Amino acid sequence: MPASQPGLADATLSRDDMGFIAKLVYEQAGIVIREHKEAMTRGRLARRVKALGLNSVAEYCAYLKSPAAADEIPELINAVTTNHTAFFRERHHFDHLRKDVLPKLIAERSARRGRIRIWSSASSSGEEPYSIAAIARDVLGSRNDVDLKILATDIDTDILDRADAGIYATDLFERLPPDVKPLLKLDGAPRAGEVRISDELRRLLTFKRLNLIEKWPMGGPFDVIFCRNVFIYFDTQTKASILDRFVTLLAPGGFLYLGHSESLPQPHAQLRLIGRTIYERIP
């Protein structure tokens, strides 16, 4: 196939092609590509055009319509997915987890060597679930009478590989507040200027690919579910459907954390707001 030409992908993207991409992404991932995101989308599609050796986004769209493109759909979803996160982002959630949730759960479950399960449902490059693991390890201390595990899922396979590796630039940690910085236990990394999350924390996590609009393989229950800065990409119907499924998997008295700019698509009979974007499942 001919090599791609710089800038051609943007120039050849028609309204029909944009409509096709938006419809395909919505059908496959439930993500709504809004008009103000079209320029960003064009740039990301151009990278897929180049990777495949095509000449234009129009040619890429034609390829996506062919039977041979089944393996390209996940790559398309990866390309249009936004992954913006940080360690201990939206700090109030982690403070609530550390002070109000985990001590109570550990006290309850340790009496019968029970389980605690936490789900980071849009884990991106791993900063959120590793922050959860750091808090959990700190609260647990040296005790081993509780089985605590964190499930970290995301639709983007590339970003999950990065998260699973647990390797980050050193300067990401230098900017952390002094009270949480020591909680993220680190090891050396293969390259200078990088560190790796310690095995002690990584052992608490399992990373898996999951599309939130498809069937979920896990049965729950979860004591805590993080779903932050995800609902902003869905329409009201999709949000309501996912929320109902979250509630089904959330243990009575369990907690759901949403992003700072998000709210429930509609009031839910089994959830009550107890703090800033913190919801408790009513027993």
Side-chain angles (χ1 to χ4, degrees):
M1 294 180 180
S4 61
Q5 301 174 29
L8 186 58
D10 281 0
T12 57
L13 179 60
S14 69
R15 299 301 301 172
D16 286 346
D17 288 338
M18 193 66 233
F20 166 72
I21 291 291
K23 183 174 184 290
L24 183 59
V25 169
Y26 179 77
E27 290 172 347
Q28 296 292 323
I31 296 171
V32 177
I33 300 179
R34 307 188 192 281
E35 289 187 7
H36 70 284
K37 297 288 187 181
E38 288 189 10
M40 179 190 72
T41 303
R42 285 197 297 270
R44 294 181 177 186
L45 294 178
R47 291 199 288 270
R48 291 308 304 157
V49 169
K50 183 176 181 180
L52 293 169
L54 301 173
N55 285 314
S56 67
V57 173
E59 199 170 319
Y60 180 60
C61 290
Y63 173 64
L64 286 171
K65 296 172 185 176
S66 71
D71 292 340
E72 177 59 22
I73 300 299
E75 297 295 341
L76 168 65
I77 302 303
N78 290 353
V80 300
T81 302
T82 298
N83 294 290
H84 176 68
T85 185
F87 291 104
F88 297 101
R89 185 184 185 192
E90 300 183 48
R91 173 68 184 271
H92 61 287
H93 290 152
F94 296 101
D95 289 343
H96 180 255
L97 183 69
R98 186 181 189 179
K99 297 174 184 176
D100 300 320
V101 180
L102 285 176
K104 181 181 177 182
L105 285 173
I106 291 170
E108 291 174 352
R109 307 293 162 82
S110 62
R112 57 182 187 276
R113 302 189 68 85
R115 307 184 343 165
I116 297 173
R117 292 293 182 264
I118 301 173
W119 179 17
S120 169
S121 66
S123 59
S124 187
S125 48
E127 286 90 333
E128 177 180 279
Y130 285 126
S131 298
I132 298 169
I135 292 295
R137 186 71 270 166
D138 180 60
V139 178
L140 279 170
S142 60
R143 66 191 309 154
N144 59 5
D145 54 353
V146 175
D147 175 18
L148 189 150
K149 294 285 189 262
I150 302 160
L151 173 65
T153 65
D154 202 276
I155 194 172
D156 187 329
T157 52
D158 294 335
I159 210 74
L160 274 175
D161 288 342
R162 287 172 51 192
D164 197 17
I167 298 174
Y168 300 92
T170 305
D171 61 2
L172 293 179
F173 303 93
E174 294 173 349
R175 299 191 295 265
L176 288 174
D179 63 323
V180 295
K181 185 176 180 180
L183 304 183
L184 277 165
K185 302 179 187 301
L186 306 173
D187 293 331
R191 293 188 295 270
E194 293 181 336
V195 290
R196 186 175 189 178
I197 302 295
S198 69
D199 288 344
E200 181 182 5
L201 296 185
R202 295 175 69 228
R203 279 194 292 268
L204 297 176
L205 278 81
T206 300
F207 287 95
K208 296 286 185 182
R209 182 187 183 274
L210 183 72
N211 184 338
L212 287 173
I213 70 166
E214 294 179 352
K215 183 178 180 180
W216 301 349
M218 59 280 196
F222 289 97
D223 300 291
V224 178
I225 297 176
F226 282 72
C227 182
R228 307 190 305 167
N229 307 302
V230 179
F231 278 180
I232 55 175
Y233 299 105
F234 298 138
D235 60 16
T236 300
Q237 181 180 348
T238 303
K239 286 188 286 189
S241 173
I242 292 172
L243 180 65
D244 282 340
R245 296 164 77 190
F246 279 147
V247 172
T248 299
L249 290 187
L250 195 60
F255 297 93
L256 171 67
Y257 298 124
L258 299 184
H260 70 280
S261 61
E262 298 173 315
S263 59
L264 300 184
Q266 57 199 32
H268 197 288
Q270 292 179 278
L271 292 175
R272 63 182 176 191
L273 181 66
I274 63 161
R276 186 154 49 110
T277 56
I278 302 173
Y279 296 85
E280 182 180 16
R281 181 177 172 185
I282 300 171

